[in-house]
């Protein structure tokens, strides 16, 4: 996991208005807002790399409620179009969502096709998808 975190941090693009890294209270507030406990690896992801901007994908964030990537807003929309409530979206992409399952795997889901790809962990998804996007 640490090697993936280091690679993501190294890929961070400097921007005029950087994202904020959340604290534990931000993560707990997001869990309370969506009424779903977050998988431990996903919590670690949010706490360690959710301020990184790299590639073309924009994973969810929890530090800034006004952001278009704020987890409660993204989750509400994803669930409204059919994503299972047992899955928590981590990133919108091409009309679908990458989402964490209750077992910690990541799936790519679209309203038309359902689940069409899977990665074993958030960190595997981050390395194989987000970093190369």
């Amino acid at each position: 996991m640490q090697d993936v975190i280091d690679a993501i941090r190294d890929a961070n693009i400097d921007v005029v208005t950087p994202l904020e890294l959340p604290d534990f209270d931000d993560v707990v507030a997001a869990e309370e807002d969506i009424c779903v406990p977050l998988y431990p690896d996903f919590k670690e992801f949010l706490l360690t790399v959710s301020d990184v901007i790299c590639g073309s994908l924009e994973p969810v964030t929890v530090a800034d409620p006004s952001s278009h990537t704020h987890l409660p807003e993204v989750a509400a929309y994803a669930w409204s179009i059919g994503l299972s409530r047992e899955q928590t979206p981590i990133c919108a992409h091409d009309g679908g969502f990458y989402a964490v399952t209750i077992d910690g795997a990541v799936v790519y889901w679209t309203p038309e096709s359902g689940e069409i790809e899977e990665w074993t962990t958030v960190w595997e998804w981050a390395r194989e998808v987000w970093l190369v996007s």
Side-chain angles (χ1 to χ4, degrees):
M1 173 179 81
Q2 189 58 48
D3 60 324
V4 178
I5 292 171
D6 292 342
I8 292 169
R9 289 242 152 255
D10 288 345
N12 190 29
I13 299 168
D14 289 329
V15 294
V16 175
T17 307
L19 297 172
E20 292 180 38
L21 196 61
D23 60 23
F24 191 74
D25 290 341
D26 293 325
V27 175
V28 170
E31 284 180 307
E32 290 173 352
D33 285 347
I34 66 173
C35 300
V36 173
L38 300 179
Y39 194 80
D41 278 354
F42 184 37
K43 285 183 190 180
E44 188 69 22
F45 176 88
L46 291 170
L47 290 166
T48 58
V49 297
S50 66
D51 64 330
V52 171
I53 297 173
C54 72
S56 62
L57 297 177
E58 295 180 284
V60 296
T61 58
V62 295
D64 181 3
S66 66
S67 174
H68 69 283
T69 57
H70 194 239
L71 175 58
E73 304 307 317
V74 174
Y77 176 70
W79 293 331
S80 77
I81 64 167
L83 181 69
S84 169
R85 291 273 306 177
E86 293 183 351
Q87 298 175 342
T88 306
I90 60 171
C91 186
H93 177 66
D94 248 1
F97 291 88
Y98 293 101
V100 179
T101 68
I102 59 173
D103 298 324
V106 174
V107 296
Y108 181 65
W109 173 91
T110 68
E112 300 81 27
S113 306
E115 294 175 18
I116 53 177
E117 291 184 65
E118 185 171 335
W119 296 265
T120 56
T121 68
V122 169
W123 301 110
E124 180 182 38
W125 172 83
R127 181 181 61 244
E128 293 180 9
V129 179
W130 185 28
L131 270 174
V132 299
S133 67

